[in-house]
mmCIF file of all heavy atoms in Angstrom:
data_model
loop_
_atom_site.group_PDB
_atom_site.id
_atom_site.type_symbol
_atom_site.label_atom_id
_atom_site.label_comp_id
_atom_site.label_asym_id
_atom_site.label_seq_id
_atom_site.Cartn_x
_atom_site.Cartn_y
_atom_site.Cartn_z
ATOM 1 N N LYS A 338 5.958 24.884 -28.055
ATOM 2 C CA LYS A 338 6.539 23.559 -27.896
ATOM 3 C C LYS A 338 6.456 23.168 -26.425
ATOM 4 O O LYS A 338 6.608 24.012 -25.541
ATOM 5 C CB LYS A 338 7.995 23.547 -28.366
ATOM 6 C CG LYS A 338 8.177 23.851 -29.847
ATOM 7 C CD LYS A 338 9.640 23.843 -30.241
ATOM 8 C CE LYS A 338 9.823 24.149 -31.722
ATOM 9 N NZ LYS A 338 11.263 24.165 -32.107
ATOM 10 N N VAL A 339 6.222 21.888 -26.164
ATOM 11 C CA VAL A 339 6.091 21.433 -24.774
ATOM 12 C C VAL A 339 6.894 20.167 -24.539
ATOM 13 O O VAL A 339 6.980 19.297 -25.414
ATOM 14 C CB VAL A 339 4.601 21.221 -24.402
ATOM 15 C CG1 VAL A 339 3.994 20.074 -25.199
ATOM 16 C CG2 VAL A 339 4.450 20.969 -22.903
ATOM 17 N N SER A 340 7.521 20.083 -23.383
ATOM 18 C CA SER A 340 8.251 18.902 -22.926
ATOM 19 C C SER A 340 7.809 18.613 -21.499
ATOM 20 O O SER A 340 7.179 19.446 -20.848
ATOM 21 C CB SER A 340 9.767 19.151 -22.968
ATOM 22 O OG SER A 340 10.191 19.530 -24.268
ATOM 23 N N SER A 341 8.158 17.428 -21.008
ATOM 24 C CA SER A 341 7.729 17.079 -19.656
ATOM 25 C C SER A 341 8.732 16.164 -18.974
ATOM 26 O O SER A 341 9.548 15.520 -19.624
ATOM 27 C CB SER A 341 6.355 16.396 -19.680
ATOM 28 O OG SER A 341 6.451 15.103 -20.268
ATOM 29 N N ILE A 342 8.644 16.129 -17.659
ATOM 30 C CA ILE A 342 9.347 15.158 -16.828
ATOM 31 C C ILE A 342 8.291 14.487 -15.962
ATOM 32 O O ILE A 342 7.505 15.164 -15.299
ATOM 33 C CB ILE A 342 10.404 15.819 -15.927
ATOM 34 C CG1 ILE A 342 11.535 16.420 -16.767
ATOM 35 C CG2 ILE A 342 10.957 14.829 -14.914
ATOM 36 C CD1 ILE A 342 12.540 17.216 -15.949
ATOM 37 N N THR A 343 8.248 13.161 -15.972
ATOM 38 C CA THR A 343 7.317 12.411 -15.133
ATOM 39 C C THR A 343 8.098 11.390 -14.316
ATOM 40 O O THR A 343 8.613 10.421 -14.865
ATOM 41 C CB THR A 343 6.242 11.701 -15.975
ATOM 42 O OG1 THR A 343 5.553 12.666 -16.782
ATOM 43 C CG2 THR A 343 5.231 11.003 -15.070
ATOM 44 N N LEU A 344 8.191 11.621 -13.014
ATOM 45 C CA LEU A 344 8.852 10.673 -12.130
ATOM 46 C C LEU A 344 7.880 9.553 -11.756
ATOM 47 O O LEU A 344 6.668 9.741 -11.794
ATOM 48 C CB LEU A 344 9.330 11.375 -10.862
ATOM 49 C CG LEU A 344 10.346 12.512 -11.033
ATOM 50 C CD1 LEU A 344 10.683 13.117 -9.675
ATOM 51 C CD2 LEU A 344 11.604 12.036 -11.721
ATOM 52 N N ASN A 345 8.406 8.409 -11.374
ATOM 53 C CA ASN A 345 7.545 7.316 -10.922
ATOM 54 C C ASN A 345 6.806 7.704 -9.654
ATOM 55 O O ASN A 345 5.622 7.399 -9.493
ATOM 56 C CB ASN A 345 8.371 6.048 -10.684
ATOM 57 C CG ASN A 345 8.794 5.398 -11.986
ATOM 58 O OD1 ASN A 345 8.113 5.501 -12.995
ATOM 59 N ND2 ASN A 345 9.942 4.736 -11.966
ATOM 60 N N SER A 346 7.492 8.370 -8.742
ATOM 61 C CA SER A 346 6.843 8.861 -7.530
ATOM 62 C C SER A 346 7.609 10.053 -7.010
ATOM 63 O O SER A 346 8.817 10.181 -7.225
ATOM 64 C CB SER A 346 6.779 7.769 -6.453
ATOM 65 O OG SER A 346 8.080 7.449 -5.985
ATOM 66 N N GLY A 347 6.903 10.916 -6.346
ATOM 67 C CA GLY A 347 7.537 12.100 -5.778
ATOM 68 C C GLY A 347 6.491 13.057 -5.263
ATOM 69 O O GLY A 347 5.502 13.323 -5.935
ATOM 70 N N GLY A 348 6.674 13.555 -4.068
ATOM 71 C CA GLY A 348 5.723 14.499 -3.489
ATOM 72 C C GLY A 348 6.065 15.926 -3.842
ATOM 73 O O GLY A 348 6.970 16.217 -4.619
ATOM 74 N N HIS A 349 5.350 16.830 -3.206
ATOM 75 C CA HIS A 349 5.523 18.258 -3.439
ATOM 76 C C HIS A 349 6.622 18.751 -2.497
ATOM 77 O O HIS A 349 6.352 19.444 -1.506
ATOM 78 C CB HIS A 349 4.190 18.951 -3.152
ATOM 79 C CG HIS A 349 4.005 20.240 -3.879
ATOM 80 N ND1 HIS A 349 3.744 20.312 -5.230
ATOM 81 C CD2 HIS A 349 4.051 21.518 -3.446
ATOM 82 C CE1 HIS A 349 3.606 21.587 -5.584
ATOM 83 N NE2 HIS A 349 3.801 22.335 -4.514
ATOM 84 N N ASN A 350 7.882 18.391 -2.788
ATOM 85 C CA ASN A 350 8.944 18.670 -1.837
ATOM 86 C C ASN A 350 10.296 18.819 -2.526
ATOM 87 O O ASN A 350 10.448 18.562 -3.716
ATOM 88 C CB ASN A 350 9.000 17.570 -0.774
ATOM 89 C CG ASN A 350 9.173 16.181 -1.381
ATOM 90 O OD1 ASN A 350 10.071 15.959 -2.193
ATOM 91 N ND2 ASN A 350 8.311 15.246 -1.010
ATOM 92 N N PHE A 351 11.294 19.217 -1.720
ATOM 93 C CA PHE A 351 12.629 19.486 -2.246
ATOM 94 C C PHE A 351 13.263 18.235 -2.847
ATOM 95 O O PHE A 351 13.981 18.327 -3.843
ATOM 96 C CB PHE A 351 13.533 20.037 -1.135
ATOM 97 C CG PHE A 351 13.329 21.496 -0.840
ATOM 98 C CD1 PHE A 351 12.169 22.142 -1.225
ATOM 99 C CD2 PHE A 351 14.299 22.229 -0.177
ATOM 100 C CE1 PHE A 351 11.986 23.496 -0.954
ATOM 101 C CE2 PHE A 351 14.131 23.574 0.095
ATOM 102 C CZ PHE A 351 12.965 24.208 -0.294
#
Side-chain angles (χ1 to χ4, degrees):
K338 297 179 180 179
V339 66
S340 304
S341 69
I342 294 174
T343 304
L344 299 179
N345 286 331
S346 67
H349 205 73
N350 56 51
F351 281 19

